[in-house]
Amino acid sequence: MTPVTELPLQRERAKTIFEKGASGRRAFICPEWDVPRVDAQELLPERFRRAEPPRLPEVSEPEIVRHYIGLSKRNFDLDSGFYPLGSCTMKHNPRLHERVAALPGHARLHPLQDPERAQGALELMWNLQQALAEISGLPHVSLQPSAGSHGELAGVLLTRAYHEARGEQRHKVLTPDTSHGTNPATVTMAGLEVVKVATNPEGGVDLDDLRAKADGETACLMLTNPNTLGLFDQNIKEIAAIVHGVGATLYYDGANLNAVMGLSRPGDMGFDIVHFNLHKSFTQPHGGGGPGSGPIAVSERIAPFLPRPLVIRREEGNFDLDFDREQSIGRLRGFQGNYGCFVRSYAYICSLGGDGLKDASEVAVLNANYLLARLKEHGVSEYLPLAYGDLCLHEFVLSGGPMKKTLQIKTLDLAKRLLDFGFHPPTVYFPLLVEEALMIEPTETETKETLDAFADAIAAILREAAMDGPEVAQNAPYTTPVRRLDEVAAAKHPVIRQVLA
Ligand SMILES: Cc1ncc(COP(=O)(O)O)c(C=O)c1O
């Protein structure tokens, strides 16, 4: 039998856009030339000029459409199925938000528009700032950062500016060993030193280790609460007292805000700075590397250092951009941020209201605990026990250690086999302190039937490995456009550009 990969249709589908079409083929007809002809090469500085024009694909419109529709069908996305990627809050993105973001007043607004003529957009941004301030319990907001990690960078730079303004040079930033990889990466990028804090047996911050490491050189503690184990740290008041006691600030990684909206506020817990991931809790779709949005909210003492310009409402009631901020850390990016993200997230906040946001968080927590209970009912805990605690908030982390020992299948094998059952795998091998970690975040937008089917699939994969041996899972997936990839080689030797003959 001809192997599937050699069928002509498969071969055609595997082609890149550069391998399709024919010389001179076009998807459009240009209008007649009605402006003076200028040689573009002459407008460019010498160093940017090429001897040959770049080779671009030459394809008809149907070819383009088929190419990209074909690619989209080869991917797994939130609109095709359940996507319980822990720590990522892959919840449904309501279509209403796309409609409002596409309104010409939003979509066609030029970023250099005079603020006087962009009052509607500035009002929306100001209202979003007010809403985020209320949700976080911290009064001053900047919408500029373009991702959660960019918000983290802003937060660490703000902390440094705050200490420097007091004449202090503090170089250490404490991060728990459950923290997301972007936390230590951000600290290093900002030129400060990462100091790890241990986790206690309950899955929270080890207070003794924190006391031992917090000192006069500590700039800040970065914390997620609930943390990446899906657990709320009950000692948060004590943690805040220890950190503030040595004169350091407290940074809240708001990536897990979906568990606590309207229920608890970082400002009330004692945090000084928080970032939000609008592409998680506030339904802005996760882009493939962007655009995202990671606004920050801060307390009074940090406010003077916020990035500039800030969107403000003047006493007369009009909205403006405030550049007049002497102690600001400056700009973090061009223009004011990813405006389309603001429109979508503001639409989400307005359509749900305060009570609706609280409901969303409560259902997110309920769904995660329901799924956890269903898995326990299936007897899954023997192979995949809960890493810490009995219950969880919006997500939970299982350990695949016993599964690996008794069934010889790794968490990666289970994740790949789930694709054959029509589910996107959960996050794997994170947080690092859990052996063979499997981190599951179902979100509030999934139905009971989906959660049941997912629990059934995990149980079925374990049964299959117990009865038929580990090979089925070890060689999965079988039903996806590409089979098991060599992820180590892909990470170590990435081929990221097309080499043309
Ligand atoms: C806990 C946590 N912190 C920070 C981040 C970084 O956010 P972003 O991906 O928007 O840079 C993430 C992203 O996955 C996260 O899960």
Side-chain angles (χ1 to χ4, degrees), residues 40-72:
Q41 288 283 344
E42 281 173 21
L43 293 177
L44 280 175
E46 180 71 40
R47 65 181 193 285
F48 294 132
R49 293 189 203 163
R50 305 171 183 230
E52 293 285 320
R55 204 192 122 195
L56 296 174
E58 297 183 88
V59 283
S60 67
E61 184 168 314
E63 280 177 301
I64 296 181
V65 171
R66 286 190 186 143
H67 179 73
Y68 286 106
I69 294 289
L71 281 181
S72 74

Side-chain angles (χ1 to χ4, degrees), residues 96-109 124 339-340 343-344 347:
L96 170 73
H97 306 171
E98 296 307 318
R99 276 180 61 189
V100 287
L103 290 174
H106 293 308
R108 300 213 190 127
L109 187 66
L124 183 147
Y339 180 69
V343 178
R344 291 182 183 87

Side-chain angles (χ1 to χ4, degrees), residues 15-43:
K15 282 184 181 172
T16 68
I17 190 86
F18 287 91
E19 295 163 299
K20 295 183 177 170
S23 173
R25 192 173 290 166
R26 293 288 179 272
F28 65 100
I29 299 168
C30 286
E32 284 297 311
W33 205 277
D34 62 354
V35 289
R37 191 176 280 270
V38 177
D39 185 354
Q41 288 283 344
E42 281 173 21
L43 293 177

Side-chain angles (χ1 to χ4, degrees), residues 258-260 263 358-374 391-396 440-448 451-452:
N258 211 48
V260 294
L263 297 165
K358 188 168 161 223
D359 278 353
S361 282
E362 285 175 345
V363 177
V365 173
L366 182 64
N367 272 4
N369 281 288
Y370 175 77
L371 182 54
L372 180 58
R374 288 287 295 156
L391 293 170
C392 62
L393 288 195
H394 65 305
E395 66 189 359
F396 56 92
I440 304 174
E441 181 180 7
T443 83
E444 71 278 15
T445 56
E446 295 300 333
T447 62
K448 178 177 172 299
L451 302 179
D452 288 341

Side-chain angles (χ1 to χ4, degrees), residues 86-88 146-152 179-183 224 228 253-256 275-277 279-280 286 292-294 395 430:
S87 206
C88 288
S146 302
S149 43
H150 201 196
E152 291 170 29
S179 75
H180 192 257
T182 49
N183 292 185
T224 318
T228 57
D253 175 337
N256 291 343
H275 85 250
F276 309 82
N277 297 67
H279 44 287
K280 296 186 183 197
H286 292 55
S293 187
E395 66 189 359
F430 174 71

